[in-house]
Amino acid sequence: MTQSYNALFDPDVDGTKKGGVANPTLQQVLDDPQFYGGEAANNVAALLSAAHPDVDFTGDRTEDTCPLDADESNN
């Protein structure tokens, strides 16, 4: 979980655009899917599910969308 996400997946994620970590670990991406993006979190989930028989990330996956529009999030 401490391995760099960018070392394993392409395209790289860059959290510095939002004030985060430039080269996040797998754990950081999985902990903050809204921050790093749903596709990145899904990549980590798929990797973990394939790597260990007791890990199974199934069901609905995170999307790169926010249910609130800009006006609602400012209230």
Side-chain angles (χ1 to χ4, degrees), residues 9-36:
F9 298 101
D10 189 38
D12 290 351
V13 294
D14 182 5
T16 59
K17 295 176 185 174
K18 301 175 186 176
V21 179
N23 190 15
T25 65
L26 297 176
Q27 185 70 57
Q28 288 170 315
V29 170
L30 200 57
D31 285 344
D32 292 311
Q34 295 82 7
F35 187 80
Y36 292 104

Side-chain angles (χ1 to χ4, degrees), residues 29-63:
V29 170
L30 200 57
D31 285 344
D32 292 311
Q34 295 82 7
F35 187 80
Y36 292 104
E39 182 178 355
N42 289 340
N43 287 341
V44 174
L47 175 74
L48 295 176
S49 292
H52 197 282
D54 293 334
V55 176
D56 186 17
F57 287 95
T58 59
D60 294 333
R61 294 288 180 99
T62 304
E63 295 181 18

